[in-house]
């Protein structure tokens, strides 16, 4: 049913909760897992003095994060894993990558609601609303994860 599953990650608890779902779907469908970390170019601390060094640190953290997830995926029985780190606006990079490479996106969500969500916005919500491929959201602490 799915050939290429995208697991965007920022290393957060929400992203980690989505891992097991992505691993299960990928192994069940004998699909390729794409693990994507986006270095947020719009993040305040990266746009101030010393920004180049901070970008390099963030990129190194992204490389480490996708490698660790790739290792856990392999241990969980996932056959093919693609590890990717990009720079840009997170939801835009996720949408672009998904459109080019994947037929399912599996993402964690913190489960915010009401005014909190409206004021803060949500990468997951933006992806859900704009994605061409299907999106499966996994709430932090949901049963079965």
């Amino acid at each position: 049913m799915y050939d290429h599953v995208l697991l965007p990650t920022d290393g957060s608890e929400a992203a980690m909760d989505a891992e097991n779902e992505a691993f299960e779907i990928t192994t069940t469908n004998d699909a390729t897992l794409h693990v994507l970390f986006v270095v947020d170019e719009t993040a305040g601390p990266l746009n101030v003095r010393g920004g180049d060094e901070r970008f390099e640190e963030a990129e190194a953290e992204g490389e480490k994060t996708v490698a660790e997830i790739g290792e856990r995926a392999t241990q969980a029985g996932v056959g093919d894993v693609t590890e990717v780190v990009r720079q840009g606006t997170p939801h835009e990079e996720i949408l672009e990558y998904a459109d080019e490479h994947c037929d399912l996106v599996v993402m964690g969500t913190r489960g915010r609601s009401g005014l909190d969500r409206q004021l803060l916005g949500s990468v997951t919500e933006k992806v859900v609303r704009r994605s061409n491929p299907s999106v499966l959201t996994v709430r932090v602490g949901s049963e079965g994860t």
Side-chain angles (χ1 to χ4, degrees):
M1 183 171 188
Y2 299 109
D3 295 319
H4 296 273
V5 177
L6 175 59
L7 176 64
T9 187
D10 59 3
S12 68
E13 181 183 355
M16 290 180 69
D17 279 357
E19 283 182 24
N20 290 334
E21 292 290 334
F23 296 170
E24 184 175 330
I25 291 167
T26 305
T27 55
T28 300
N29 290 279
D30 194 28
T32 298
L33 178 67
H34 298 256
V35 183
L36 173 65
F37 184 101
V38 179
V39 177
D40 188 354
E41 291 181 337
T42 65
L46 296 178
N47 288 328
V48 295
R49 190 176 182 139
D52 287 343
E53 184 177 309
R54 290 191 176 129
F55 270 117
E56 290 172 10
E57 290 171 4
E59 192 164 310
E61 182 64 30
E63 295 286 348
K64 178 182 174 193
T65 299
V66 298
E68 289 171 352
I69 294 170
E71 186 174 312
R72 287 193 296 271
T74 300
Q75 291 171 355
V78 176
D80 294 321
V81 180
T82 300
E83 301 167 4
V84 180
V85 175
R86 288 187 169 188
Q87 291 184 2
T89 303
H91 75 275
E92 292 174 358
E93 293 297 324
I94 293 166
L95 289 165
E96 182 179 312
Y97 191 90
D99 280 348
E100 292 173 1
H101 304 283
C102 299
D103 44 22
L104 177 67
V105 180
V106 180
M107 298 183 71
T109 180
R110 289 175 181 81
R112 292 187 177 123
S113 62
L115 185 59
D116 187 31
R117 187 181 78 211
Q118 290 174 357
L119 292 175
L120 296 176
S122 166
V123 171
T124 302
E125 183 178 4
K126 290 173 184 172
V127 171
V128 166
R129 291 185 184 275
R130 299 176 186 166
S131 179
N132 289 321
S134 297
V135 180
L136 171 65
T137 61
V138 180
R139 181 171 272 176
V140 170
S142 62
E143 292 184 25
T145 60

